[in-house]
Amino acid sequence: MPGKVPLLLLSLLSWFGTSHCCLQDPASAYRFTGAVCRLTYPAAVVLNEKTTKVIEAAFQHARYPSMKGEKSLLFIGKVMYGLDNLEIHNLSIGQSAFELHPGEGIAMEISNVSAVFKGSIQYGYGSWLVNFGHSVDFEIDSQIDLGINPKLYCGDGKVAADTADCYLNFHKLRLHLQGDKEPNWLKKLFTDFITLTVKLVIKGQICKEINKAANILADFIQDRAEQFLTDGDISVDIGIAAAPVITANYIESYHKGLTKYNNKVAVINESVFQPSHLTEDRMIYFWISDQFLNPMLKAAHQDGRFQLNVSGEELTTLLRTNLSTAMPELIRKCLLDSASPELILWSSSVPHLNSSTSGTTVWVQASGRLHCEGQGTPVLFFQTDMAVDITTSYVNKKVLLQGHPTEISAFRAELPLQDQQRHDEALEFLKEAVVKVGTPKVLSVLGVELTRLLDKQGLYQFDLFNPEVLPRDGFVVIQMDFGFPHHLLVEFLKRTLQ
């Protein structure tokens, strides 16, 4: 079914970085796939709003070479000419349309491109009748339809577009010398074959510039993606695992999703992706395997990301939350008698995540120690194995994590010798505090930190409508509608026109 699409569609799938190998058969690559991006037909409507700007940039940024030639004409003799300083003016673009050709590529048509080309021409013609030369300004009125049939393929481990199948249909291309709209028969004869030459030059340069713009756009989006997926020493290789698939309703790309940390790269070889996992109701879908997420959790743990320090009045306020278990005397005394008590919490084992239709569960061993002012030795140390059910949402450009422990085991606590007789009392208080105070606090801080990280990478700049995070068996689906941010297009155009 025909519709509208921008050149942006060719490059949006290049959001993900590069690698050096991909399989041509998508089905054989599913088990090596850590992430999938499905861009559906409705997304093209939004992207189309930006098409004309990119096409305009391609036309305006094109540099047309000087042309020289000669031709022999009856009764006149040899005609010599040169065209210089060809520039484009008064550009306007009608509309763009496209079709997705299943298993083949994308057919794009940009119609009603109107422009005036201006420059200067040197020409001379002579025979035994006449012999003279001229140097005059000229302009060319044009009306063009542009067609591109890009083929998507796996190029150097990323989604690439071959735009070699590019053509221009000229509905009007008329050259005028010195602004004379009605040239005499000699000028008309001259302009006829000059116009043919200009057609070839314009076609070659415009198609060349569109291919260049597509590559620049792909690199631009890819650079943004690489930045988005990198923080400190942690990065992700999301080169494609297989050639992209095109159906009548969507374009789908398959990505490796391999976490890189400390010169080590994760391995994914048992992914469970199937195309039936995704629907076509929303504009864009991201399918993310647990095998993608767990190495990221491991890298974050090894990088010391899962540590929280709570001190002073904030700590005192937290532990004064109404709990059914009485606060042990050593904790109460630490909070009241110390000007700056400090509680340090951290993950003491690599967290492990499991997604299912009932939710996402994270298993982790958590440890903590309480310090009082002026004491190098903690007054309390505790450690527990936990399973926490977590739900994730993105509301008002903020990550919200909510959850509760479903299992607490192997809970142990270490107290000073003089307080050993109160061990059981302290243990019960700590268990309740972990469930009712500690877990909500940790999830709240994690949500804030994830929001900060996403803001740092620029996600807040996008208009995301009703994003949903849906846990499934062994994977998570993120689905949403979106609006392409105008300022990113402006940034790209500035880069293109440099």
Side-chain angles (χ1 to χ4, degrees), residues 381-432:
F381 170 84
F382 63 92
Q383 188 175 81
T384 182
D385 295 334
M386 301 176 59
V388 183
D389 285 350
I390 299 175
T391 59
T392 306
S393 57
Y394 189 71
V395 181
N396 296 327
K397 301 187 182 294
K398 291 180 171 38
V399 177
L400 301 179
L401 300 178
Q402 295 178 312
H404 62 278
T406 56
E407 181 181 329
I408 294 181
S409 61
F411 204 113
R412 67 188 186 91
E414 296 178 5
L415 284 70
L417 287 176
Q418 64 271 23
D419 295 299
Q420 286 296 324
Q421 68 276 15
R422 299 186 178 275
H423 179 273
D424 292 344
E425 174 187 337
L427 204 60
E428 288 304 312
F429 175 82
L430 289 171
K431 285 182 178 179
E432 186 179 8

Side-chain angles (χ1 to χ4, degrees), residues 274-330:
Q274 293 295 326
S276 59
H277 292 164
L278 301 177
T279 63
E280 302 170 17
D281 302 322
R282 307 297 299 275
M283 292 173 63
I284 193 166
Y285 295 82
F286 296 102
W287 182 99
I288 302 175
S289 172
D290 284 359
Q291 290 196 14
F292 178 1
L293 296 173
N294 276 310
M296 292 187 70
L297 290 177
K298 180 179 179 180
H301 165 78
Q302 293 175 337
D303 202 48
R305 304 292 183 99
F306 299 137
Q307 178 172 314
L308 173 63
N309 291 17
V310 187
S311 60
E313 184 177 348
E314 181 184 11
L315 175 60
T316 302
T317 302
L318 273 178
L319 293 181
R320 281 178 177 171
T321 301
N322 291 329
L323 301 174
S324 59
T325 307
M327 183 183 296
E329 179 62 22
L330 83 158

Side-chain angles (χ1 to χ4, degrees), residues 194-366:
I194 290 291
T195 298
L196 291 175
T197 304
V198 171
K199 277 186 180 181
L200 296 176
V201 172
I202 292 177
K203 175 187 181 300
Q205 291 304 113
I206 292 298
C207 288
K208 178 181 176 181
E209 197 63 32
I210 286 175
N211 185 68
K212 178 182 176 182
N215 290 328
I216 292 175
L217 184 57
D219 291 341
F220 174 75
I221 294 178
Q222 178 182 298
D223 290 345
R224 300 288 300 218
E226 290 175 347
Q227 295 171 12
F228 189 85
L229 295 167
T230 300
D231 187 65
D233 294 328
I234 302 174
S235 61
V236 179
D237 172 10
I238 309 193
I240 62 175
V245 165
I246 297 178
T247 74
N249 299 318
Y250 62 80
I251 302 176
E252 190 166 83
S253 56
Y254 312 96
H255 305 269
K256 294 183 176 182
L258 304 179
T259 299
K260 297 187 290 185
Y261 179 71
N262 277 351
N263 297 320
K264 294 182 180 179
V265 182
V267 175
I268 294 178
N269 53 25
E270 296 180 355
S271 182
V272 297
F273 175 75
Q274 293 295 326
S276 59
H277 292 164
L278 301 177
T279 63
E280 302 170 17
D281 302 322
R282 307 297 299 275
M283 292 173 63
I284 193 166
Y285 295 82
F286 296 102
W287 182 99
I288 302 175
S289 172
D290 284 359
Q291 290 196 14
F292 178 1
L293 296 173
N294 276 310
M296 292 187 70
L297 290 177
K298 180 179 179 180
H301 165 78
Q302 293 175 337
D303 202 48
R305 304 292 183 99
F306 299 137
Q307 178 172 314
L308 173 63
N309 291 17
V310 187
S311 60
E313 184 177 348
E314 181 184 11
L315 175 60
T316 302
T317 302
L318 273 178
L319 293 181
R320 281 178 177 171
T321 301
N322 291 329
L323 301 174
S324 59
T325 307
M327 183 183 296
E329 179 62 22
L330 83 158
I331 297 178
R332 188 195 65 79
K333 184 176 180 181
C334 180
L335 296 179
L336 295 179
D337 295 349
S338 174
S340 57
E342 182 179 36
L343 177 64
I344 303 173
L345 303 171
W346 71 95
S347 60
S348 45
S349 71
V350 175
H352 179 77
L353 174 148
N354 180 69
S355 301
S356 69
T357 53
S358 59
T360 299
T361 302
V362 176
W363 284 269
V364 65
Q365 184 183 78

Side-chain angles (χ1 to χ4, degrees), residues 1 99-107 151 245-250:
M1 156 172 82
E99 290 183 356
L100 296 179
H101 291 172
E104 296 182 11
I106 306 169
K151 308 295 182 184
V245 165
I246 297 178
T247 74
N249 299 318
Y250 62 80

Side-chain angles (χ1 to χ4, degrees), residues 124-164:
Y125 42 94
S127 69
W128 61 276
L129 292 175
V130 292
N131 189 0
F132 56 90
H134 288 280
S135 178
V136 297
D137 293 335
F138 70 89
E139 64 181 44
I140 303 171
D141 292 330
S142 69
Q143 189 169 353
I144 307 167
D145 288 343
L146 168 66
I148 315 170
N149 294 306
K151 308 295 182 184
L152 299 184
Y153 66 99
C154 174
D156 294 329
K158 66 179 180 179
V159 176
D162 179 4
T163 61

Side-chain angles (χ1 to χ4, degrees), residues 15-139:
W15 268 18
F16 303 105
T18 62
S19 63
H20 302 287
C21 176
C22 66
L23 301 174
Q24 292 304 309
D25 176 27
S28 65
Y30 289 163
R31 68 190 184 97
F32 304 109
T33 297
V36 177
C37 175
R38 175 176 289 187
L39 187 75
T40 64
Y41 189 89
V45 177
V46 170
L47 295 175
N48 179 71
E49 298 172 2
K50 313 301 178 183
T51 300
T52 55
K53 297 299 182 183
V54 178
I55 298 298
E56 284 176 8
F59 271 83
Q60 292 173 340
H61 194 248
R63 296 295 179 262
Y64 305 96
S66 297
M67 295 176 289
K68 293 183 179 180
E70 62 180 47
K71 186 176 179 66
S72 295
L73 297 178
L74 187 64
F75 303 122
I76 297 177
K78 184 180 293 184
V79 177
M80 295 155 288
Y81 61 88
L83 279 75
D84 299 294
N85 306 317
L86 192 62
E87 296 179 349
I88 193 168
H89 296 266
N90 303 329
L91 176 67
S92 66
I93 294 178
Q95 62 181 359
S96 62
F98 86 109
E99 290 183 356
L100 296 179
H101 291 172
E104 296 182 11
I106 306 169
M108 300 177 62
E109 292 184 0
I110 295 89
S111 59
N112 298 324
V113 180
S114 177
V116 174
F117 294 88
K118 295 183 178 181
S120 60
I121 184 170
Q122 298 81 40
Y123 65 95
Y125 42 94
S127 69
W128 61 276
L129 292 175
V130 292
N131 189 0
F132 56 90
H134 288 280
S135 178
V136 297
D137 293 335
F138 70 89
E139 64 181 44

